[in-house]
Amino acid sequence: MSADIKKILLQFIKFYLFWLLIFFINRGTFIIFFHQKFADVPLIEVMLSFWNGLRLDFSASSYLIVIPLLILITQQLFRFSFAGKLLTIYSTIILAWLAFLCLFDIGIYRDWATKANARAFAYLKQMSDAIEFTDWTFIILSGLIFLALMVAGWKLYKYFFQNERFTSAENLTKKITAISVYLLLLPVLFLGVRGGWQLIPINESSSYFSRHQILNDAAVNTFWYTSKNFLQYGKSSEENRYHYFSSLDVEQKINSLYNTQNDSTISVLTNNRPNIVWIILESFTADVIQSLGGDTGVTPNMDTIIQHGLLFNNIYSQGFRTDQGLVSYLSAFPTQPDFTIITQTEKLQHLSFIPKILDSIGYHTSFYYGGESGFANMKTYLIDAGIEKIVDKSSFTLSQMSAKWGAHDQYVFEKQAAEMNIEQQPFFSIVLSLSSHEPFFIPIPSKFPGKSEPALFKSACYYTDQCLGNYFRSIKNTEWYKNTLFILVADHGHRLPRNRELDEPGRFHIPFILFGDVLKPEYQGKQLRMLGMQLDIAATLLSQLQIASSNFEWSNNLLNPYRNDFAYYCYDSGFGWMRDKDAITMRFDNKSITYHPVGNNNSISVSEFNNGKAFLQKLMEEFSNY
């Protein structure tokens, strides 16, 4: 390796070290400012915020090095030297911006207990009004901290780059060599930006590690977080385009849906403090379950469970993605057409969480998944939700992995079963399956012949069903089994195997089953036909546990005999509203209406569909206000 190449690589490493140290200083400033909030946190955990924030720091540094790299490439095309001055100007501007962000983040966190985001920056438009409420002590302190950060940053810059010569190479051969090396470094920056080779680009979840939220907030790189938030805010801050009625009309329509003659519930459990194992099955549409009118022979174990459990056979998913299903179940918050709240961390604090409620009354909470817990910011959501233990693909061996997403379902079920044997009771454990996700790669021969999508999908569901059967057979004689309520649901439906249209209700039809020895004998093997949706499971479960569900305002207890039956579902281009088994869907672009009747006549009137539009309007107003 020539001296010129070594020089370029050393400069590249110095850029990374410089920005990483700047991010460490800013994080330290945040921790020192809020030192009283860290009083009850062990010092080792505070130090771990630096370690766990490193991946996002590296990603943010990669973004910041792109422009210097382009400047250095351009420098090779000219004889006169300008790169050094441009890099100094660029670095000074970025240092000032990062120092401002650090202080703005501290100010927002002090008042809102959330990191600086685009919504907070919007308030700068009212700066003249805000001055009337200014805390001048904080402003003076902020000014001093800003100066200290700039001095520290400038001294670091001089330390790393004062003696560097960012000049053109001496001859054409060296110029070509230099440009080639710089260009080869661009893929390194790309990998740094996305956080590595993994399937899912890096997100906030990579920095989440503690049940102390302030530690997670300290670990998350403020520059990275704010930049991402601005990109999202460009859409989510738009005026609510789902505005159909006056506020008074919306409230009246929503009240007519949720108000009941009596807040009652049918008790189906033998005790109100069972262990709870919540099994969420990837893409398990009703179309693969014979008991729900699906294809035969796909889920024999599920059908056996249904014969001994309590089946709600008219339940519909909110959307068509796993992250939507998780929020619908654990927070009972409806799915939005354009956005997903799980990726907007500052909005999550407004949600209620079933695991957090159960944790507060002594339940031990866990989550088992064979894939990446960081997918779609799930890890952030799960930690916010109060999940104590998160097991994901990092806990499994390479031999247990599928070709794409992670560990096969059999290993996830086996691990969860083994660890429940030593888990302290009562516990609340979630298992999220994976193998029935595209591309439907499974470790057993295909049950259904052919390479068509429907055949591959059904074979994958058959494999997951087989794992499910093996799981229940393996735990049948354990000590904890007899005091455990099992909840079996799908995260969402699927277009396969019947090639459902995007908007038809059958694409969203999913199973919901209560199962276990804690189910009263008279409800074992029973089917209930009331229309409902994923959101309703929260109030249904909490009512069985004799826990108030008023914080889950969108949830409608399925076991309240006085409830109003309805269901909402959405997709990116429209939404559906259901009464009985009939549905109306509306596209957002042209407002076209499609009826989906079960019988010859549609039972949903235009006035009834207005309730669905009010539901969507209320949802998006609440979402925007979070």
Side-chain angles (χ1 to χ4, degrees):
M1 184 184 295
S2 69
D4 291 333
I5 295 176
K6 287 182 179 179
K7 177 183 175 183
I8 291 172
L9 294 178
L10 182 59
Q11 288 174 348
F12 189 68
I13 292 171
K14 282 184 176 181
F15 278 122
Y16 266 113
L17 288 174
F18 171 68
W19 291 117
L20 287 174
L21 283 172
I22 294 299
F23 290 134
F24 270 49
I25 291 171
N26 289 357
R27 182 174 293 112
T29 303
F30 179 92
I31 292 171
I32 292 170
F33 188 92
F34 292 111
H35 65 277
Q36 292 180 337
K37 294 180 182 292
F38 292 90
D40 297 327
V41 179
L43 179 61
I44 185 64
E45 286 198 50
V46 176
M47 300 309 297
L48 282 174
S49 68
F50 289 88
W51 173 254
N52 284 278
L54 193 57
R55 287 189 67 198
L56 279 186
D57 290 345
F58 199 83
S59 177
S61 299
S62 299
Y63 278 110
L64 294 177
I65 295 171
V66 170
I67 289 179
L69 199 61
L70 295 177
I71 291 173
L72 292 173
I73 291 173
T74 306
Q75 173 68 84
Q76 300 306 314
L77 304 178
F78 297 89
R79 291 186 177 181
F80 65 93
S81 298
F82 58 84
K85 291 182 179 179
L86 280 182
L87 289 173
T88 300
I89 294 171
Y90 169 80
S91 299
T92 302
I93 292 172
I94 298 299
L95 283 171
W97 174 242
L98 293 180
F100 170 77
L101 268 185
C102 176
L103 292 169
F104 189 70
D105 184 52
I106 288 172
I108 293 301
Y109 202 90
R110 187 180 66 151
D111 294 333
W112 294 3
T114 185
K115 293 189 71 64
N117 53 50
R119 185 163 58 94
F121 273 92
Y123 282 88
L124 291 177
K125 297 176 182 177
Q126 287 79 42
M127 181 65 75
S128 58
D129 295 332
I131 289 176
E132 297 180 17
F133 304 97
T134 299
D135 180 348
W136 287 103
T137 302
F138 176 72
I139 286 185
I140 294 171
L141 180 60
S142 296
L144 294 174
I145 296 174
F146 181 87
L147 288 175
L149 291 174
M150 288 299 296
V151 169
W154 183 245
K155 284 187 174 293
L156 270 177
Y157 185 80
K158 288 183 66 177
Y159 175 79
F160 277 103
F161 302 113
Q162 186 174 28
N163 298 321
E164 288 289 340
R165 295 180 64 247
F166 299 106
T167 57
S168 302
E170 298 169 1
N171 55 55
L172 182 60
T173 301
K174 290 186 176 182
K175 284 179 182 290
I176 294 173
T177 300
I179 291 174
S180 299
V181 174
Y182 286 132
L183 289 175
L184 288 173
L185 291 174
L186 285 174
V188 176
L189 292 182
F190 172 76
L191 279 178
V193 163
R194 79 184 305 276
W197 291 103
Q198 76 282 351
L199 187 65
I200 307 301
I202 196 171
N203 58 44
E204 298 97 308
S205 292
S206 67
S207 295
Y208 270 56
F209 70 101
S210 174
R211 299 193 71 191
H212 299 284
Q213 183 58 38
I214 194 170
L215 286 176
N216 298 323
D217 290 331
V220 171
N221 183 284
T222 303
F223 169 75
W224 187 98
Y225 176 84
T226 306
S227 301
K228 175 197 172 189
N229 192 264
F230 262 101
L231 293 175
Q232 292 178 331
Y233 191 77
K235 290 184 177 181
S236 62
S237 64
E238 293 175 359
E239 184 179 354
N240 184 8
R241 63 188 180 103
Y242 309 102
H243 187 87
Y244 306 109
F245 312 105
S246 69
S247 297
L248 180 60
D249 284 343
V250 168
E251 291 302 321
Q252 289 175 343
K253 287 177 169 58
I254 296 297
N255 288 338
S256 72
L257 293 171
Y258 284 93
N259 285 348
T260 60
Q261 298 175 14
N262 190 354
D263 185 15
S264 178
T265 193
I266 300 169
S267 177
V268 300
L269 303 182
T270 58
N271 75 79
N272 61 16
R273 286 297 179 269
N275 302 313
I276 301 169
V277 173
W278 194 321
I279 300 174
I280 304 175
L281 299 165
E282 170 67 47
S283 302
F284 252 56
T285 167
D287 287 340
V288 297
I289 301 170
Q290 184 176 348
S291 300
L292 288 170
D295 293 3
T296 60
V298 184
T299 59
N301 291 289
M302 178 74 86
D303 287 317
T304 299
I305 290 169
I306 288 172
Q307 291 172 13
H308 298 90
L310 176 60
L311 171 67
F312 298 79
N313 63 11
N314 200 14
I315 305 299
Y316 292 81
S317 66
Q318 287 285 284
F320 52 92
R321 296 194 302 270
T322 300
D323 53 287
Q324 295 170 326
L326 272 180
V327 176
S328 299
Y329 286 136
L330 302 183
S331 295
F333 190 74
T335 294
Q336 312 85 54
D338 299 306
F339 322 105
T340 175
I341 195 170
I342 199 172
T343 64
Q344 302 196 31
T345 310
E346 77 282 359
K347 293 183 182 289
L348 295 183
Q349 63 181 307
H350 296 278
L351 298 178
S352 297
F353 304 99
I354 290 177
K356 187 168 286 187
I357 290 175
L358 296 180
D359 175 77
S360 70
I361 61 172
Y363 275 79
H364 298 269
T365 57
S366 58
F367 178 85
Y368 290 80
Y369 179 50
E372 295 178 10
S373 61
F375 172 75
N377 211 35
M378 283 200 311
K379 183 180 176 184
T380 299
Y381 172 78
L382 293 169
I383 291 176
D384 283 348
I387 299 293
E388 297 171 309
K389 180 179 183 179
I390 298 174
V391 174
D392 66 2
K393 66 184 296 183
S394 61
S395 300
F396 299 91
T397 65
L398 287 176
S399 64
Q400 297 172 326
M401 296 291 176
S402 68
K404 190 174 179 67
W405 291 104
H408 290 299
D409 287 347
Q410 65 189 84
Y411 303 113
V412 178
F413 279 116
E414 287 171 1
K415 186 172 187 63
Q416 192 270 353
E419 295 191 356
M420 290 307 100
N421 288 333
I422 57 174
E423 181 63 273
Q424 185 176 346
Q425 301 183 51
F427 55 74
F428 175 78
S429 183
I430 302 167
V431 183
L432 175 59
S433 75
L434 182 70
S435 298
S436 46
H437 195 292
E438 291 90 344
F440 312 130
F441 178 85
I442 54 176
I444 63 171
S446 296
K447 168 69 174 177
F448 299 90
K451 297 297 182 181
S452 67
E453 280 191 318
L456 292 173
F457 175 65
K458 289 199 294 184
S459 292
C461 291
Y462 177 84
Y463 165 71
T464 295
D465 180 78
Q466 183 183 92
C467 298
L468 192 64
N470 291 338
Y471 170 77
F472 279 107
R473 283 186 284 273
S474 72
I475 63 174
K476 182 71 175 177
N477 296 318
T478 61
E479 183 273 333
W480 56 270
Y481 176 87
K482 56 178 160 301
N483 187 41
T484 300
L485 172 66
F486 297 91
I487 302 173
L488 292 91
V489 293
D491 57 349
H492 52 77
H494 207 281
R495 63 181 177 87
L496 298 174
R498 298 183 178 179
N499 292 309
R500 298 280 192 180
E501 294 295 331
L502 179 67
D503 61 346
E504 67 175 300
R507 184 172 182 256
F508 298 86
H509 190 195
I510 59 171
F512 169 36
I513 307 157
L514 300 180
F515 176 75
D517 290 352
V518 296
L519 198 63
K520 291 179 179 178
E522 60 266 34
Y523 291 102
Q524 295 180 17
K526 188 171 183 178
Q527 296 193 21
L528 300 178
R529 303 185 181 280
M530 69 282 291
L531 172 65
M533 51 185 169
Q534 285 174 319
L535 301 176
D536 299 335
I537 296 178
T540 305
L541 172 62
L542 292 174
S543 296
Q544 293 301 304
L545 303 180
Q546 298 180 15
I547 298 172
S549 60
S550 55
N551 287 340
F552 299 87
E553 60 177 344
W554 296 97
S555 192
N556 191 13
N557 181 8
L558 291 164
L559 290 170
N560 181 351
Y562 302 99
R563 76 190 296 273
N564 296 310
D565 290 357
F566 61 91
Y568 154 91
Y569 62 84
C570 81
Y571 41 98
D572 288 343
S573 57
F575 83 103
W577 185 254
M578 299 188 68
R579 282 286 198 172
D580 298 324
K581 283 192 175 182
D582 293 339
I584 294 181
T585 57
M586 184 180 78
R587 288 185 60 89
F588 297 129
D589 50 7
N590 59 13
K591 303 297 188 292
S592 62
I593 301 291
T594 303
Y595 290 88
H596 302 271
V598 173
N600 294 324
N601 298 309
N602 195 78
S603 64
I604 302 182
S605 64
V606 173
S607 61
E608 172 55 41
F609 185 55
N610 284 340
N611 286 333
K613 294 164 72 174
F615 185 99
L616 177 62
Q617 180 177 331
K618 172 76 171 177
L619 161 64
M620 295 310 294
E621 287 173 354
E622 188 169 314
F623 173 80
S624 297
N625 290 332
Y626 277 176

